[in-house]
Amino acid sequence: MSTMTTLSHPSSSSLTIPATQNTAPVFSFSCLYTHDLRRKQKRWQDGLLRFHTFNKRIMVYDLPRNFIGDTFWRESQALQDGDDLELEKGILVQVGEQVEKTVTDLSGLLEKRTPKRPVAEDPRESQRSGWEGSGADAIAR
């Protein structure tokens, strides 16, 4: 479960985080989105864009907070007001002004990523327990 802390002043701080840090900022932007990619007169709708700096994931929601779509930011420069992008579902998004910055605790996520290696069984044990008590040998006994 991730814990979020809301910071009072949105700022345009760096979008990169150190690898040893257990928290990551999440920036919220107002945005406009449309499903009309080919239409000349596009019908724009208001929404909220959340940018997760940990994995550069962009998630777009409508005003009642219903999920619209997502994608990953592949540019080297920071996401900012005025950027245009297309979601994986074929939705065009225009990024508006930054409205909020929250900090998300990543400790639960980072714990899940460390793979625990299973203890290797002795290969001689698996050979012994294989077919000993089954088949024709079990009937003959």
Side-chain angles (χ1 to χ4, degrees):
M1 177 180 242
S2 63
T3 306
M4 289 190 182
T5 306
T6 304
L7 302 177
S8 58
H9 300 292
S11 63
S12 59
S13 60
S14 173
L15 297 179
T16 60
I17 59 169
T20 58
Q21 190 173 347
N22 288 333
T23 61
V26 178
F27 296 97
S28 296
F29 295 87
S30 62
C31 71
L32 295 172
Y33 68 93
T34 183
H35 298 274
D36 303 328
L37 295 179
R38 296 191 176 107
R39 196 174 162 153
K40 190 171 185 178
Q41 284 292 329
K42 296 182 178 8
R43 295 169 292 185
W44 294 97
Q45 299 176 42
D46 291 326
L48 178 73
L49 182 144
R50 293 182 51 87
F51 178 66
H52 299 262
T53 58
F54 176 68
N55 56 1
K56 294 188 174 185
R57 186 174 183 190
I58 295 172
M59 301 178 75
V60 177
Y61 301 90
D62 61 7
L63 291 181
R65 299 288 197 258
N66 296 315
F67 179 71
I68 301 298
D70 63 344
T71 190
F72 289 94
W73 185 247
R74 290 170 173 70
E75 304 294 324
S76 59
Q77 68 271 17
L79 182 69
Q80 58 189 358
D81 186 357
D83 286 339
D84 292 335
L85 55 111
E86 188 173 333
L87 302 181
E88 292 175 357
K89 289 184 175 181
I91 298 169
L92 189 61
V93 178
Q94 290 182 346
V95 180
E97 65 181 40
Q98 182 181 337
V99 293
E100 184 181 38
K101 177 184 174 185
T102 57
V103 177
T104 303
D105 181 20
L106 301 173
S107 58
L109 179 66
L110 295 174
E111 288 172 3
K112 291 179 186 176
R113 283 191 163 187
T114 55
K116 294 183 180 179
R117 295 184 181 175
V119 177
E121 292 183 18
D122 186 6
R124 293 172 286 181
E125 282 294 320
S126 62
Q127 290 174 354
R128 283 187 215 134
S129 63
W131 292 92
E132 284 183 315
S134 63
D137 292 338
I139 296 170
R141 288 185 200 165

